[in-house]
Amino acid sequence: MGQPGGYAYRHRSRLSIIAVKTPSSIKVHITRLEMTAPPKASLPVPVNIQTAIMRAPGIPLPFYRYLYRQVGARWHWVERLRLSDEQLTAVLHDQRNDISVLYVNGAPGGFFEYFRQDEETIELSHFGLIENALGLGIGKWFLLQSLYAIWTLNPQRIVTTTNNLDHPRALQLYQMFGFSPISTGEGIVRPLSDKELLELAKKG
């Protein structure tokens, strides 16, 4: 019985050492884009795949965090994961904010989120697919549906941002559907530490 106890103690010690490790920050090149007219493209619904896009007013925090992590882990999305429950609730349940979830063959496959900055401008703040929806040929179709949904609100412009950590074809795809770059800049992304990941796991 002595060995297991000793091992557990050493194992906890290693965890505590790992938890204080701070990941290196990543420099990113940011491109801000806008579109001032609805997209002219038209794409058919993907065949042999069951899809549904549903608005999610009052989305539960654990479900949102799940979507955010599943979509954004590959692209270093971290900002929303650092918010407390109270802070995230304030953001998500703001009446100017809107979230819609894509379902593919019955399972969550991605989401898009937009924010009404004012009467003229709406920001497409988040867009992406979960891994189970990749490779099915629905990315372009889903982005087009997202843009159609926003344009029904009759804004003067839609804005969004992308950076060099996003999907390699993200900038090209946005431009394909009518976005134009309007500015660039530099930023810093600080990946989640092991301690933050552990705290996030406790939130569910």
Side-chain angles (χ1 to χ4, degrees), residues 71-88:
V71 171
R74 297 181 300 281
W75 322 121
H76 297 277
W77 290 9
V78 296
E79 180 182 357
R80 294 283 175 85
L81 300 179
R82 288 197 165 103
L83 299 181
S84 66
D85 286 354
E86 293 75 14
Q87 291 170 325
L88 188 57

Side-chain angles (χ1 to χ4, degrees), residues 10-195:
R10 291 194 299 273
H11 186 59
R12 286 196 298 270
S13 297
R14 286 199 299 272
L15 281 177
S16 65
I17 292 172
I18 294 172
V20 299
K21 181 181 178 182
T22 302
S24 299
S25 295
I26 305 171
K27 292 183 179 180
V28 295
H29 182 73
I30 302 166
T31 301
R32 184 174 176 82
L33 308 102
E34 75 169 13
M35 65 187 305
T36 55
K40 298 179 180 179
S42 178
L43 294 173
V45 178
V47 297
N48 301 322
I49 302 172
Q50 293 184 341
T51 61
I53 300 173
M54 300 181 65
R55 291 184 63 246
I59 187 169
L61 300 190
F63 184 42
Y64 180 83
R65 288 189 173 112
Y66 164 80
L67 292 173
Y68 190 93
R69 290 187 66 182
Q70 291 297 314
V71 171
R74 297 181 300 281
W75 322 121
H76 297 277
W77 290 9
V78 296
E79 180 182 357
R80 294 283 175 85
L81 300 179
R82 288 197 165 103
L83 299 181
S84 66
D85 286 354
E86 293 75 14
Q87 291 170 325
L88 188 57
T89 296
V91 171
L92 299 184
H93 297 175
D94 187 317
Q95 292 185 351
R96 296 168 295 176
N97 204 70
D98 198 281
I99 299 163
S100 293
V101 181
L102 169 69
Y103 292 87
V104 178
N105 295 330
F111 78 105
F112 72 89
E113 181 176 353
Y114 65 81
F115 180 78
R116 293 179 284 273
Q117 294 183 350
D118 52 46
E119 292 184 358
E120 297 183 346
T121 305
I122 296 179
E123 178 189 13
L124 176 61
S125 55
H126 296 92
F127 169 86
L129 298 176
I130 295 175
E131 189 171 356
N132 66 286
L134 297 176
L136 301 178
I138 62 176
K140 293 178 182 178
W141 172 83
F142 182 42
L143 178 57
L144 198 57
Q145 300 310 306
S146 305
L147 296 175
Y148 284 154
I150 298 175
W151 277 109
T152 62
L153 302 174
N154 297 313
Q156 295 296 310
R157 68 184 65 85
I158 298 176
V159 298
T160 194
T161 58
T162 186
N163 63 63
N164 60 298
L165 298 182
D166 284 340
H167 191 285
R169 293 193 295 274
L171 181 58
Q172 178 185 2
L173 186 59
Y174 285 132
Q175 291 178 288
M176 179 187 302
F177 288 137
F179 280 96
S180 297
I182 55 174
S183 66
T184 59
E186 305 299 323
I188 297 290
V189 171
R190 183 167 54 87
L192 295 172
S193 67
D194 290 327
K195 180 179 180 181

